[in-house]
Amino acid sequence: MNDTPPPIEEKVRRMFQKKTGEERLKMGCSMHDFSKQLIMSSLLRKNPGLTARELRRELFLKFYGNEFDLERQR
């Protein structure tokens, strides 16, 4: 789904093109870190007793679980 009007989409595209590669990389890393924190918070809210190891596993599966069949996820 794309609900962004074309003129706004073009404006955003131009803004990103003006940024250096380093700036774009930093933005991507920041977005990844933020999404990781959101997912971790959600996992801990649903399962407050998760150990650090279990949390890392669940976080990994949220990000990459679709890349593995069920047998390899275990």
Side-chain angles (χ1 to χ4, degrees):
M1 178 179 151
N2 184 357
D3 60 353
T4 306
I8 301 300
E9 198 171 278
E10 178 61 24
K11 184 176 183 176
V12 170
R13 187 183 67 76
R14 278 187 266 122
M15 287 171 51
F16 278 115
Q17 283 182 327
K18 290 180 182 177
K19 296 194 176 297
T20 66
E22 181 180 358
E23 289 171 322
R24 290 191 301 265
L25 178 62
K26 284 181 179 180
M27 287 175 64
C29 290
S30 177
M31 287 186 273
H32 179 268
D33 290 344
F34 183 67
S35 66
K36 181 179 174 182
Q37 289 301 317
L38 286 175
I39 293 168
M40 286 174 59
S41 294
S42 174
L43 289 169
L44 288 171
R45 195 170 40 255
K46 291 176 186 174
N47 306 288
L50 286 177
T51 65
R53 182 178 185 193
E54 292 167 332
L55 181 58
R56 282 192 310 272
R57 181 182 187 282
E58 292 301 315
L59 185 63
F60 178 84
L61 290 174
K62 287 288 185 186
F63 275 100
Y64 307 109
N66 291 335
E67 304 297 321
F68 302 95
D69 59 29
L70 290 176
E71 184 62 33
R72 288 188 177 224
Q73 289 181 19
R74 295 178 190 181

